[in-house]
Amino acid sequence: MRIDGLQPAPFRALRYVPARVGGLAAVTSPPYDVVARPDGLRELRSSDPHNIVHLTLPANGEEDGHARARVTLRAWLLDGVLTRDPEPALYLYEQRGNGLSQRGVIATVPVTDPEAGVVLPHEDVMPDVVAERAALLRATEAHLEPLLLTYSGEPGPDAPGGPTAAVIDRTVAGPPLTDIRTDDGLRHRLWALTDPADHARIVADLSRCRALIADGHHRWAAYRRLRDEAPRPAEPDGESPRRRGLVLLVDSTRHPPEVRAIHRVLPGLPLERALALAGNAFRVGPALPLKEATALLRDAPGPAFLLTDGRATEEGAGEPAAHLLDQPSPDLLAARIPTDRPETWRLLDATVLHGVLLPVVWEVPDSAEGIRYLHDPGGALEAAARAGGTAVLMRPVTERTVRELAEQGITMPRKSTSFGPKPATGLVLRPLWDEDRGLPAPNEKGPGAKP
C-alpha cells in the first residue's frame, strides 16, 4: 500500500489516574534505553509502585518479565490506576526547561518500511533488542512510549510552521490535562485535542510531510515486526491497530533538536591494552585531564575519540585522564570502510569505530557483553571504572548530517546519536486491543487471567 506523508490519526490513550498514584512525576521515566544504570532503574522502581518502568523494563529476565508486564498492566487497569480516555484525541505535548523548549503532537501514524520514504531511519538496529521490544509489545498489547519523529514544517498564513503550529499555539494557551516537573528540571504539559476540525487541519498539514526517526529505531523496527504479524483486514475500516505506531511529531524548524553522542564502554578491554593496540593504526595522544582532552576531541579534524578508564587521578585533581585517538591509517580505512557510500558517512566517528577499531584493532565482540552503550558520559566513566575496562567517549553528529544521509537511504551505525529532549514515558500509552474492550485479554500462558 502506498503511503503519502505521515497521515497522523487520533486515538484513545491510556493515562494514569492522578488520585491513584503518588504523583504523575513519580510514575514517569526516561525512555527505556536511557535508563541504563542499575541504581537509576532501582530508584525509578522504588519511586512509586506504579512507575512505568514496571512495564517498560519488567524484572526477572525477558520471557518472565514480559509475562509480568502483561499481568501488571491488566492489574493497573482493573484497579483504576490507568484509564482509557473516552474519545479519540491528538495529544499536544510541551517540554520546557534547562534552556530547552519543544512542542509536538502525539498521534498514531502508519507503520511503513524505509522504502516508502515517509518515516526515515538513520541508524542500524540490533536484532536482539528489536526481538525483545517486539516480545514486550506482543505480551502487553500496548505501545508503552512514543517514538520521537522530527519533520520540517513550512511557513503559513496562520503561524510559522503552518496549520499544525497554529493549532498547537492556540491550544496551549488553555489549561493542560497534565502539568508536572520531573527531576531533570523539565516541565511537561499535555493537552487532549478532540475537535474533529482541528484533527482535519493537522492531518491535512502533516500528510504532506515525511519524518526522521530521531529516537526509537528499535521500537519502530518492533512496530514493523508486529505489523507484519497482523492479519490483513478484509474490510478497509477493519485495519489492525498493529499497523499504526505511537509517535511524537515535532517540527524541527520551530524546535531544533539537541543532538548528543552515545558513548561506548568495553568492559573486557583494559585501557592499557586498548591504547597499545590502537597505536598500530591510530595516533594516540598523551594522558590529559578529561576537560582538556574533551576540548581537543571537539576540534579534531577527521575521525577521533577519547579513551579513558574513568578512574580519577591525582595529577588531574581527582579528574579522570583521557587519551585522544585520531588520524587513523588511510590504508586501514581503505581496506575496511566500504567505498560505495558518501565520504560524509565513511568518515563518521561511529563508522570508523564500528568498521575498524572494534572489530579489527581491538577484536571486541559485537554483543551486549562486549559493548555497552550509555547516553551519559559520567555513567560511561563509572561503568568503565567498575569493570576495569575502557570508555570510548564520542562526539555528536549534526542534525543536518543525519537528515541528509537518511534522505539518501543511508543509515549510520547503531547508537550514533541521541536526539532530545526525549518524550517522558508514562504520560500517554496506546492500547492495541479493540476500542470497545476495556481490558487486554488474559494471558492464557501465564497467571494473567487475574492479578
Side-chain angles (χ1 to χ4, degrees):
M1 179 177 66
R2 177 178 172 82
I3 299 292
D4 295 315
L6 288 168
Q7 299 186 12
F11 65 103
R12 291 175 57 208
L14 287 177
R15 295 190 297 116
Y16 281 98
V17 177
R20 298 305 309 273
V21 297
L24 290 180
V27 295
T28 64
S29 94
Y32 82 99
D33 58 337
V34 179
V35 185
R37 301 193 207 181
D39 55 342
L41 181 56
R42 285 192 295 270
E43 182 178 346
L44 288 167
R45 284 177 175 156
S46 62
S47 64
D48 189 284
H50 302 108
N51 189 281
I52 193 66
V53 296
H54 291 286
L55 301 181
T56 60
L57 291 167
N60 293 351
E62 292 185 1
E63 186 173 352
D64 289 346
H66 298 155
R68 173 172 290 195
R70 182 185 184 92
V71 172
T72 299
L73 175 58
R74 184 173 171 83
W76 290 357
L77 289 163
L78 288 169
D79 292 344
V81 173
L82 290 169
T83 188
R84 194 167 193 176
D85 283 345
E87 54 185 323
L90 295 174
Y91 296 85
L92 308 185
Y93 177 47
E94 178 188 79
Q95 296 160 279
R96 188 181 295 274
N98 302 330
L100 301 172
S101 177
Q102 179 170 278
R103 290 174 178 168
V105 179
I106 300 177
T108 71
V109 298
V111 177
T112 58
D113 296 317
E115 295 76 19
V118 176
V119 176
L120 306 174
H122 73 267
E123 289 183 351
D124 294 333
V125 295
M126 293 175 274
D128 57 334
V129 178
V130 174
E132 189 276 325
R133 288 292 101 181
L136 180 63
L137 296 180
R138 207 177 288 119
T140 58
E141 291 187 82
H143 290 159
L144 303 174
E145 46 188 348
L147 283 62
L148 174 61
L149 305 188
T150 61
Y151 67 93
S152 296
E154 295 181 356
D158 301 317
T164 299
V167 173
I168 291 175
D169 291 348
R170 169 168 47 82
T171 303
V172 300
L177 285 175
T178 301
D179 187 346
I180 63 170
R181 191 177 299 276
T182 47
D183 289 343
D184 57 6
L186 286 181
R187 184 183 183 187
H188 306 260
R189 297 198 295 168
L190 186 76
W191 295 259
L193 188 68
T194 57
D195 184 352
D198 283 335
H199 294 174
R201 293 185 185 98
I202 291 176
V203 171
D205 183 29
L206 298 189
S207 289
R208 62 170 178 78
C209 296
R210 58 181 179 173
L212 178 74
I213 301 178
D215 185 66
H217 285 80
H218 291 88
R219 285 168 284 166
W220 185 260
Y223 285 178
R224 289 172 56 199
R225 184 169 295 191
L226 264 69
R227 174 207 64 188
D228 293 343
E229 296 172 358
R232 293 191 175 274
E235 301 296 332
D237 60 353
E239 181 182 57
S240 167
R242 290 186 175 193
R243 304 190 73 82
R244 300 186 71 88
L246 180 65
V247 300
L248 168 64
L249 299 166
V250 173
D251 181 354
S252 61
T253 59
R254 297 189 87 205
H255 306 287
E258 182 182 53
V259 187
R260 296 182 176 180
I262 300 178
H263 311 287
R264 278 70 169 157
V265 173
L266 314 177
L269 183 66
L271 179 62
E272 289 186 6
R273 179 167 174 77
L275 294 171
L277 293 174
N280 297 321
F282 287 75
R283 183 176 70 171
V284 178
L288 297 171
L290 184 60
K291 289 182 180 178
E292 186 176 340
T294 299
L296 292 179
L297 174 66
R298 184 177 58 246
D299 298 332
F305 318 89
L306 286 188
L307 304 187
T308 176
D309 59 9
R311 298 172 182 170
T313 61
E314 293 182 4
E315 294 82 359
E319 181 181 1
H323 299 257
L324 178 68
L325 202 65
D326 67 351
Q327 296 187 13
S329 162
D331 292 340
L332 188 55
L333 292 186
R336 296 293 306 186
I337 304 298
T339 59
D340 60 347
R341 303 284 183 92
E343 185 177 21
T344 302
W345 179 88
R346 297 182 71 246
L347 295 181
L348 286 171
D349 293 352
T351 299
V352 174
L353 177 65
H354 286 271
V356 175
L357 260 175
L358 291 169
V360 179
V361 175
W362 290 331
E363 297 183 344
V364 171
D366 185 9
S367 65
E369 295 74 25
I371 308 171
R372 292 189 60 196
Y373 298 86
L374 291 99
H375 293 72
D376 175 36
L381 296 176
E382 291 178 12
R386 283 197 303 268
T390 298
V392 183
L393 303 184
M394 310 285 289
R395 296 180 292 189
V397 182
T398 66
E399 193 266 348
R400 179 178 178 180
T401 295
V402 172
R403 184 173 291 275
E404 287 177 351
L405 289 173
E407 289 175 348
Q408 298 175 64
I410 297 172
T411 55
M412 301 163 63
R414 65 193 64 163
K415 300 294 184 182
S416 293
T417 62
S418 176
F419 279 71
K422 303 176 191 298
T425 298
L427 295 179
V428 174
L429 289 70
R430 181 198 174 215
L432 298 180
W433 53 86
D434 296 336
E435 287 283 321
D436 58 352
R437 282 172 52 201
L439 293 169
N443 183 359
E444 297 178 356
K445 295 183 179 180
K450 289 186 180 180

